[in-house]
């Protein structure tokens, strides 16, 4: 098996939390309670409560609130589906999040945003499970929809390194280091140098 990076702290760790939209209704409830109080809400109130719970980092409860408004007409129903997808992402369920978004009456921009975030989360999940081939495949898939961020390029470089593709990994680390030298890029280059020394 390929050697681990020289500095484990330089490895990208967990996927970044999905971006959440700002609307938080004044006075909305911070909890639905054990009784399932979402049933008492109108769809608009349920969506407002969902945003509050999502922003509080409580995706399971947020999902319950958004469920109450799924199927509502117009913008309320669309906001509920969008919020439900974000709650699923926050709960680390990117496949279901993408499925909900694909079936909901969302704008192309929102559907694409959820799809890209879901793929990004799956990249991190694959990498953290040492599925480097899977991570690279998901990066290729995501590349068809969005520009690759620096963090994801680091994931690509480390994945190539772990698969023994040292030259390809080195090119990426050197490119990133030339753009902005950081602890992460220097750690990558150091790991490459150590790997080459061990090969001879």
């Amino acid at each position: 098996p390929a050697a681990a990076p020289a500095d484990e702290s330089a490895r990208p760790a967990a996927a970044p939390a999905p971006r959440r939209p700002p609307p938080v209704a004044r006075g909305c409830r911070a909890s639905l309670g054990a009784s399932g109080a979402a049933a008492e809400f109108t769809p608009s109130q349920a969506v407002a409560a969902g945003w509050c719970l999502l922003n509080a980092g409580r995706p399971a409860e947020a999902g319950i609130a958004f469920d109450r408004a799924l199927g509502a007409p117009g913008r309320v129903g669309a906001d509920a589906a969008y919020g439900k997808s974000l709650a699923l992402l926050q709960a680390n369920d990117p496949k279901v999040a993408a499925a909900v978004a694909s079936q909901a009456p969302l704008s192309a921009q929102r559907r694409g945003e959820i799809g890209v975030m879901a793929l990004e989360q799956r990249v991190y999940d694959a990498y953290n499970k040492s599925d480097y081939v899977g991570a690279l495949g998901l990066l290729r898939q995501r590349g068809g929809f969005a520009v690759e961020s620096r963090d994801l390029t680091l994931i690509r470089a480390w994945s190539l390194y772990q698969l023994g593709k040292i030259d390809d990994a080195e090119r990426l680390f050197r490119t990133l280091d030339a753009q902005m030298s950081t602890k992460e890029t220097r750690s990558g280059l150091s790991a490459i140098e150590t790997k080459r020394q061990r090969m001879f």
Side-chain angles (χ1 to χ4, degrees):
D7 182 357
E8 287 292 329
S9 66
R11 287 173 50 126
R19 291 168 290 166
R20 296 188 294 274
V24 178
R26 186 174 298 175
C28 67
R29 299 183 186 184
S31 174
L32 299 181
S35 64
E40 304 169 7
F41 293 172
T42 66
S44 294
Q45 289 171 332
V47 169
W51 292 132
C52 285
L53 292 161
L54 194 63
N55 285 321
R58 296 159 71 175
E61 291 173 283
I64 294 171
F66 289 126
D67 281 341
R68 172 66 181 85
L70 287 176
R75 180 173 179 177
V76 172
D79 284 349
Y82 182 57
K84 174 72 173 183
S85 296
L86 289 173
L88 287 163
L89 284 173
Q90 194 178 104
N92 198 32
D93 199 348
K95 289 185 179 180
V96 177
V100 169
S102 68
Q103 297 167 10
L106 299 181
S107 66
Q109 179 179 350
R110 278 186 165 184
R111 187 176 291 111
E113 179 186 343
I114 295 295
V116 168
M117 285 193 290
L119 282 170
E120 181 171 339
Q121 195 171 91
R122 290 176 63 194
V123 168
Y124 280 93
D125 289 346
Y127 180 82
N128 289 328
K129 292 174 183 175
S130 299
D131 179 9
Y132 305 116
V133 172
L136 290 172
L138 289 164
L139 282 169
R140 284 193 296 272
Q141 188 176 346
R142 184 188 178 278
F145 303 98
V147 175
E148 188 167 292
S149 68
R150 182 181 176 89
D151 285 345
L152 289 178
T153 301
L154 279 168
I155 288 277
R156 180 185 294 279
W158 278 123
S159 295
L160 290 166
Y161 170 88
Q162 293 286 11
L163 293 171
K165 299 182 178 181
I166 304 303
D167 291 342
D168 292 338
E170 182 178 17
R171 276 193 291 272
L172 287 178
F173 283 127
R174 289 201 180 281
T175 297
L176 291 171
D177 195 65
Q179 292 170 350
M180 181 174 65
S181 184
T182 64
K183 178 181 178 181
E184 290 78 11
T185 59
R186 292 190 296 272
S187 178
L189 291 171
S190 176
I192 295 289
E193 182 179 355
T194 300
K195 184 77 168 180
R196 290 198 188 283
Q197 289 173 353
R198 290 175 180 171
M199 292 169 64
F200 296 102

